[in-house]
């Protein structure tokens, strides 16, 4: 498809929206991003950009910028919650040295993408809250302020509470997953190395990793519980509630939890993967198409993959309709598989004694006998390269 006279509106300036806007502009499309917020900003929290996400940033020419503002992950270490003793070490340096895996501050990734978008000539319009989108040959975008605009293609990258998704899909209420997550950042007073530490306790787990220049540590603390919290980034909580919920956690975990002075609480909900990702001049990507629980750290990485695939499909197809069908075919099954894997992952960290004893024993043994295999079990996620014809990163 020739992008020259194609006008595209992207709803949402999150990770997926900014990435798709930049990639479209590189192809020559006229792109406008509509963002509800008054500035492009992010709450202070970390993000794991895994090799499949890095592959897209590399194709965008932004991988070096990412490396500058992120910590390269050396290992993922599973630990017992009470004393912090190591259960399993996935040594990425040793067993996957060719893969690039980073810990980054969300705000740094957003700023990196937003700078690239602005430099490329994309128009970013802030304070533009979209209320509905009407499909058609020239789909219409209705804004909350009463204004209306048309485009050849509208891309819904407006996250978990998408206003674009209902234009193509029946609305189904999300289901509380029985888990909540607290998120916080604290100073790295312990000098923790660039490793993700997963402290596994009964009905809860804590993930920590350093971000920025290594001076801060990101904490994500997940707890299984009956009463739910709001599904929102901005819901604050008392840090003592977090400390109380993780009272039995000792060692490094305790020291980190004791330094938390500000925390956000996020209710984790299961949403179905959208049936329809693209039709009648509308496409969905990222959380708008497939909200993903954080237990595989894949939501933002999948949004990057979607962005690349959508632009690639548009470039290859004769028209928008054919491109949208190809896009859904290319992406839906993979996204659904990752969403499923993330939904099924938390319980593995949450086992209670006595079940946790044999489980940890098996992990220890597997780590000792087949460390390479323990790392390569995630190849289907990390070695997926959406920017290559065969979708697989070559092994070096
Ligand atoms: C606790 C937790 C930890 C996580 N950790 C990781 C991780 O380590 N790695 C990872 O890959 N993912 C992680 N994720 C998931 C990841 O954050 C999301 O999947 C990702 O941000 C989705 O990107 P997106 O661009 O689709 O949506 P978003 O980042 O949510 O962006 C949506 C944008 O659209 C705007 N918007 C919304 N509605 C409207 C509207 N009506 N009109 C105009 N604009 C609108 C919003 O303001 C926002 O800017 C985590 C999630 C949670 C909850």
């Amino acid at each position: 498809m020739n992008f020259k006279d194609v006008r595209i509106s992207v709803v949402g300036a999150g990770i997926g929206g900014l990435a798709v806007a930049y990639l479209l502009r590189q192809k020559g499309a006229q792109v406008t991003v509509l963002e509800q917020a008054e500035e492009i900003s992010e709450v202070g929290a970390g993000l794991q950009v895994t090799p499949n996400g890095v592959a897209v940033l590399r194709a965008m020419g932004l991988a070096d910028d990412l490396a500058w503002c992120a910590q390269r992950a050396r290992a993922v270490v599973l630990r017992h919650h009470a004393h912090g003793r190591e259960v399993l070490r996935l040594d990425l340096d040793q067993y996957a040295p060719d893969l690039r895996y980073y810990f980054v501050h969300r705000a740094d990734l957003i700023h990196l993408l937003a700078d690239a978008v602005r430099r490329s000539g994309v128009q970013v319009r802030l304070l533009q809250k979209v209320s509905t989108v009407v499909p058609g040959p020239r789909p219409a975008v209705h804004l909350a302020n009463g204004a209306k605009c048309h485009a050849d293609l509208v891309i819904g990258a407006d996250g978990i509470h998408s206003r674009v998704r209902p234009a193509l899909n029946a609305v189904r209420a999300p289901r509380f997953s029985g888990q909540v997550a607290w998120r916080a950042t604290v100073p790295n007073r312990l000098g923790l190395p660039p490793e993700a530490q997963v402290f596994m306790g009964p009905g809860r787990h804590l993930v920590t990793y350093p971000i920025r220049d290594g001076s801060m540590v990101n904490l994500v603390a997940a707890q299984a519980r009956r009463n739910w919290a709001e599904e929102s980034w901005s819901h604050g909580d008392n840090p003592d509630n977090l400390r109380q919920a993780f009272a039995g956690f000792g060692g490094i975990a305790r020291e980190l939890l004791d330094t938390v002075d500000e925390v956000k609480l996020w209710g984790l909900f299961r949403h179905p993967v959208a049936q329809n990702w693209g039709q009648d001049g509308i496409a969905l990507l990222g959380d708008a198409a497939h909200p993903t629980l954080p237990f595989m750290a894949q939501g933002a990485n999948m949004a990057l993959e979607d962005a690349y695939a959508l632009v690639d499909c548009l470039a290859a197809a004769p028209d928008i309709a054919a491109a949208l069908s190809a896009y859904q075919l290319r992406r839906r099954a993979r996204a659904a598989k990752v969403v499923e894997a993330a939904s099924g992952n938390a319980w593995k960290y949450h086992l209670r004694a006595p079940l946790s004893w044999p489980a940890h024993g098996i992990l220890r043994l597997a780590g000792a006998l087949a460390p390479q295999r323990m790392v390569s079990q995630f190849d289907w996620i990390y070695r997926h390269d959406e920017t290559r014809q065969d979708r697989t990163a070559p092994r070096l």
Side-chain angles (χ1 to χ4, degrees):
M1 204 179 87
N2 182 357
F3 285 88
K4 230 179 167 71
D5 298 315
V6 179
R7 286 178 185 275
I8 300 176
S9 292
V10 177
V11 183
I15 291 161
L18 291 170
V20 81
Y22 180 73
L23 287 161
L24 286 165
R25 185 67 202 130
Q26 282 189 320
K27 298 277 184 202
Q30 296 171 50
V31 189
T32 304
V33 176
L34 304 169
E35 166 58 46
Q36 65 180 0
E38 61 183 342
E39 57 174 330
I40 298 182
S41 64
E42 264 300 331
V43 290
L47 200 64
Q48 301 183 49
V49 183
T50 52
N52 48 315
V54 176
V56 175
L57 292 167
R58 188 180 305 119
M60 294 167 72
L62 300 176
D64 289 345
D65 295 351
L66 175 72
W68 271 106
C69 65
Q71 293 281 304
R72 176 147 177 225
R74 303 293 176 188
V76 177
V77 186
L78 307 190
R79 295 181 180 278
H80 190 281
H81 73 286
H83 37 64
R85 200 178 311 132
E86 202 170 294
V87 173
L88 174 68
R89 171 173 288 266
L90 303 173
D91 192 325
L92 302 172
D93 262 356
Q94 196 173 352
Y95 298 110
D98 57 322
L99 293 182
R100 295 285 179 275
Y101 185 142
Y102 293 101
F103 305 134
V104 64
H105 196 293
R106 283 179 73 92
D108 293 343
L109 179 59
I110 285 284
H111 286 142
L112 185 161
L113 290 166
D115 281 351
V117 158
R118 289 206 174 97
R119 278 198 311 267
S120 73
V122 168
Q123 210 194 348
V124 180
R125 294 176 57 199
L126 302 171
L127 287 169
Q128 305 293 312
K129 188 176 170 65
V130 170
S131 51
T132 48
V133 177
V134 181
R138 291 269 299 159
V141 178
H142 293 263
L143 296 163
N145 63 13
K148 179 172 119 174
C149 54
H150 287 274
D152 298 304
L153 173 64
V154 176
I155 299 176
D158 51 343
I160 213 151
H161 301 297
S162 173
R163 304 305 292 257
V164 183
R165 177 173 164 143
L168 297 182
N169 292 277
V171 178
R172 278 169 56 192
R175 198 157 48 88
F176 181 51
S177 69
Q179 330 246 11
V180 296
W182 285 269
R183 312 188 83 185
T185 50
V186 298
N188 189 5
R189 295 207 186 105
L190 301 172
L192 294 176
E195 299 176 348
Q197 315 280 345
V198 183
F199 300 90
M200 305 178 291
R204 67 214 72 193
H205 75 276
L206 170 69
V207 181
T208 73
Y209 48 85
I211 48 174
R212 297 229 144 122
D213 54 358
S215 59
M216 291 166 80
V217 178
N218 185 66
L219 309 186
V220 180
Q223 181 197 23
R225 74 180 197 197
R226 286 214 180 85
N227 51 331
W228 56 279
E230 217 178 306
E231 193 179 28
S232 154
W233 295 109
S234 50
H235 184 80
D237 195 22
N238 184 336
D240 286 337
N241 292 339
L242 165 65
R243 280 188 272 274
Q244 207 176 357
F246 285 73
F249 282 53
I252 302 170
R254 179 84 272 131
E255 290 192 48
L256 290 170
L257 290 165
D258 283 346
T259 57
V260 174
D261 57 14
E262 203 188 328
V263 71
K264 305 270 190 237
L265 177 63
W266 173 265
L268 298 172
F269 286 69
R270 285 187 196 210
H271 300 247
V273 173
Q275 281 300 328
N276 193 347
W277 288 41
Q279 197 184 326
D280 293 335
I282 298 178
L284 300 175
L285 62 75
D287 278 4
H290 49 78
T292 310
L293 293 179
F295 304 127
M296 295 292 273
Q298 281 305 304
N301 292 295
M302 296 297 284
L304 289 169
E305 285 186 13
D306 291 345
Y308 188 92
L310 176 56
V311 178
D312 204 29
C313 289
L314 286 163
D319 54 38
I320 289 176
L324 296 185
S325 303
Y327 167 62
Q328 161 146 354
L329 201 63
R330 175 158 157 184
R331 291 297 302 160
R332 194 176 180 283
R334 172 166 167 82
K337 192 173 168 193
V338 171
V339 167
E340 203 44 48
S343 302
N345 214 25
W347 70 268
K348 295 180 193 161
Y349 300 145
H350 288 184
L351 293 176
R352 291 165 200 278
L355 268 185
S356 58
W357 301 334
H360 288 187
I362 289 167
L363 282 175
R364 256 189 216 103
L365 197 65
L369 295 179
Q372 173 84 61
R373 188 178 290 184
M374 293 308 283
V375 173
S376 62
Q377 67 179 307
F378 300 110
D379 277 2
W380 70 276
I381 296 181
Y382 299 156
R383 289 193 185 274
H384 179 95
D385 186 340
E386 197 61 46
T387 71
R388 290 174 60 88
Q389 202 86 41
D390 62 0
R391 314 266 183 271
T392 309
R395 277 173 198 280
L396 299 180

